[in-house]
Amino acid sequence: MTLSVLARLSPFHRTRLTPWLCRSLQQQAAPRKGLKVLFFGTDEFSSSALTALSKGIYAENPGVAHIEVVCPPPRYKVRTVKEKTKLIWKARVSSRATNLGIHVHNTPEGGSIQDWEVPNVDLKAGYGANARFDIGVVASFGAFLPQRIIDSFPQKMINLHPSLLPKYRGPTPIQTAILNNDSHTGVTVQEVHPKRYDAGNILAQVPFELKLGMTRVDLMTQLGHLGGELAVRVLQNLEFMRKNSIVQNEEEATLTRMFTSGDTKIRWEDMTAMNVMRMHWAHYGHIAVWSFLRVKNKVLTVKMTDIELATSFDEPLEDDYLSFRPGSCLRKRKHNYIEFPCIDGGRLHVRGFTVEGKQPRDGLQFAAGYIKKNKTPCMLTLSPDCKRPTPNFVYPEEYKRPSHMAAVKLNDIPLYHSKPGLVKRLRLKAEAEEAKASEKSEESKTSEELGETEEPKETEEPKETEEPKETEESKEPK
């Protein structure tokens, strides 16, 4: 085919393109080093890992010679009126593989792969008609792989897991690490266990620093890229890694669970502003945090999609905001966000709202449509009875209302997604406060040292003034 195309070109273009075509034909005919990999994945984590794995083909010591992808099929909604289909869901790794020019295989519809057979290598790869894959690589596939599929690969299968196993086994290790406020997480490459999730021998691990403010999507992208690079190194030295693999300690193993919309409801009675933000970061892009709002005789479910943590540079919309109950909707003219005070004195700025059954709205649209109709707008933890007045807010026992200064300095923390200007202002403010504190401490130290070294001087008694002696001349009358 390439020779027929070359024959149609002009002599000038033929001389220019002939060396390039000869090199490409030699590369296709020469045997490539590395393993033929069949990659199993679905979400952002697996798509980032696939990108890093595909780069391993062009390394000096390639662990991957050829790669293809297996993912669930796209889901469509059939419109019976116009007989048209609408795409509802498509695996992220499928779109990434299409952009990278990688062949995609789909599992059967319905999610069951018990009767599914592992496909052969694509004929366009140049390995022959019945070429088999050498190894399988799994990254957040979402389905249990039976022993039959594992044994169909000569080199078995390995798995990329976004945690430092045996900690956080299961489907949601990234969300659990954010909710628990962990300082570090990581990626583990392990062998696929035929009977349990994430229980195989550990081949390699890499730690990763978890910065405050990182969302679920951020960690999936970065950990996926890190896991893909680690998998390339494991495939380059697969025999050595398996000889030195580590058996997981079952006593240290912890399990994670699937989260639902009930886990993202805001409890205004006991959740601080930072707790709400961690819940928002952990489920960002998947499940939105939400609460109830009563408008006259209706109780609405409101989702909050764009949330920020207020700092001391953000002036409160109400001077006495500490006197409002937590969850109150504070608004001001020409401000595109609504402020919510929390029980610890922190404040949340929300710019995106979605009422159940309605289109998404920004802060100004939400305030015009729902808050102006209500005299005392406030978010509620529990859905109240529409025929009765809204119950009073119940504070926890031994609750002390925070002071204004403590509430202002509460959220002065530079986050991962903070703007550079805000980070600089917070840094300069912290440095100024440290300088003031150091000056005060030095002054107190110098005053103490001076008080210890200087002994009190004895007070001298005032000398008696000598009276002038009377002379004979002064005695004589003038």
Side-chain angles (χ1 to χ4, degrees), residues 232-279:
V232 172
R233 297 187 179 184
V234 170
L235 293 174
Q236 290 172 351
N237 307 284
L238 188 59
E239 294 182 2
F240 175 79
M241 293 291 184
R242 281 180 169 164
K243 288 179 181 178
N244 297 277
S245 61
I246 301 173
V247 181
Q248 296 189 33
N249 187 0
E250 296 296 332
E251 296 179 356
E252 299 178 358
T254 56
L255 299 176
T256 60
R257 62 181 182 87
M258 291 294 294
F259 292 101
T260 61
S261 60
D263 298 312
T264 59
K265 183 174 71 170
I266 301 176
R267 302 185 306 275
W268 300 101
E269 287 79 9
D270 58 355
M271 293 188 72
T272 63
M274 187 57 72
N275 290 340
V276 177
M277 290 305 301
R278 285 198 191 99
M279 189 167 61

Side-chain angles (χ1 to χ4, degrees), residues 5-211:
V5 173
L6 189 63
R8 298 176 186 176
L9 298 176
S10 62
F12 174 78
H13 291 92
R14 193 182 304 167
T15 54
R16 292 296 182 94
L17 292 177
T18 300
W20 176 80
L21 287 172
C22 292
R23 282 198 303 271
S24 64
L25 290 172
Q26 289 175 2
Q27 290 176 2
Q28 290 179 9
R32 284 170 284 181
K33 297 181 180 180
L35 301 173
K36 298 184 289 295
V37 176
L38 186 61
F39 185 82
F40 296 76
T42 51
D43 55 9
E44 296 90 347
F45 175 74
S46 54
S47 61
S48 298
L50 177 65
T51 304
L53 273 172
S54 62
K55 293 179 181 178
I57 301 175
Y58 308 103
E60 296 180 357
N61 180 20
V64 181
H66 178 70
I67 187 169
E68 296 183 19
V69 174
V70 174
C71 64
R75 300 172 189 169
Y76 296 94
K77 181 180 179 181
V78 180
R79 296 182 178 180
T80 57
V81 179
K82 297 182 180 180
E83 295 183 357
K84 292 183 179 180
T85 57
K86 179 182 179 183
L87 181 64
I88 300 175
W89 177 85
K90 186 178 181 181
R92 294 291 182 92
V93 72
S94 177
S95 303
R96 183 65 59 86
T98 304
N99 295 335
L100 295 173
I102 298 173
H103 187 71
V104 179
H105 305 273
N106 289 327
T107 57
E109 295 184 359
S112 178
I113 59 173
Q114 297 298 325
D115 300 330
W116 180 72
E117 295 293 337
V118 176
N120 295 331
V121 181
D122 189 19
L123 288 173
K124 296 180 181 179
Y127 287 98
N130 298 320
R132 306 291 294 175
F133 290 96
D134 298 321
I135 192 171
V137 178
V138 186
S140 185
F141 184 56
F144 187 78
L145 298 171
Q147 184 69 46
R148 177 182 57 82
I149 295 179
I150 298 173
D151 294 337
S152 62
F153 297 95
Q155 299 289 343
K156 306 297 181 183
M157 303 182 73
I158 61 174
N159 178 32
L160 311 182
H161 188 73
S163 75
L164 298 176
L165 291 174
K167 188 177 182 181
Y168 298 152
R169 292 178 180 175
T172 56
I174 293 177
Q175 295 90 320
T176 308
I178 296 174
L179 291 172
N180 293 343
N181 195 22
D182 292 349
S183 60
H184 287 81
T185 183
V187 182
T188 302
V189 179
Q190 55 151 356
E191 294 180 341
V192 175
H193 198 277
K195 296 182 179 179
R196 289 183 297 167
Y197 282 107
D198 307 323
N201 294 347
I202 297 173
L203 302 177
Q205 280 186 338
V206 173
F208 182 81
E209 183 182 1
L210 204 161
K211 297 180 181 179

Side-chain angles (χ1 to χ4, degrees), residues 313 414 420-436:
F313 297 104
L422 177 61
V423 174
K424 185 177 180 181
R425 292 167 69 184
L426 292 174
R427 181 173 53 80
L428 294 175
K429 184 179 178 181
E431 290 177 357
E433 291 179 355
E434 289 179 1
K436 287 182 181 179

Side-chain angles (χ1 to χ4, degrees), residues 25 70 82 195 214 219 237 276 285 374 382 386 407-408 414 459:
L25 290 172
V70 174
K82 297 182 180 180
K195 296 182 179 179
M214 281 186 169
L219 280 176
N237 307 284
V276 177
N374 202 346
L382 300 176
C386 298
V408 164
T459 56

Side-chain angles (χ1 to χ4, degrees), residues 260-363:
T260 61
S261 60
D263 298 312
T264 59
K265 183 174 71 170
I266 301 176
R267 302 185 306 275
W268 300 101
E269 287 79 9
D270 58 355
M271 293 188 72
T272 63
M274 187 57 72
N275 290 340
V276 177
M277 290 305 301
R278 285 198 191 99
M279 189 167 61
H280 172 65
W281 295 330
H283 304 286
Y284 181 79
H286 183 219
I287 308 174
V289 298
W290 60 279
S291 186
F292 291 110
L293 176 66
R294 180 173 182 175
V295 180
K296 295 183 180 180
N297 292 331
K298 294 182 180 180
V299 179
L300 306 175
T301 302
V302 181
K303 297 180 181 179
M304 306 177 190
T305 54
D306 187 0
I307 309 176
E308 290 182 359
L309 200 62
T311 62
S312 60
F313 297 104
D314 301 320
E315 296 183 359
L317 299 185
E318 296 288 344
D319 295 334
D320 56 342
Y321 70 94
L322 292 174
S323 62
F324 289 85
R325 58 180 282 178
S328 299
C329 304
L330 307 181
R331 64 181 181 86
K332 205 170 186 178
R333 193 177 178 184
K334 296 182 180 180
H335 285 71
N336 64 341
Y337 62 86
I338 295 176
E339 189 174 89
F340 295 93
C342 295
I343 198 166
D344 63 334
R347 294 171 291 138
L348 300 175
H349 289 173
V350 184
R351 289 180 169 83
F353 298 88
T354 303
V355 181
E356 187 177 5
K358 303 291 183 180
Q359 294 293 329
R361 306 188 180 198
D362 58 8

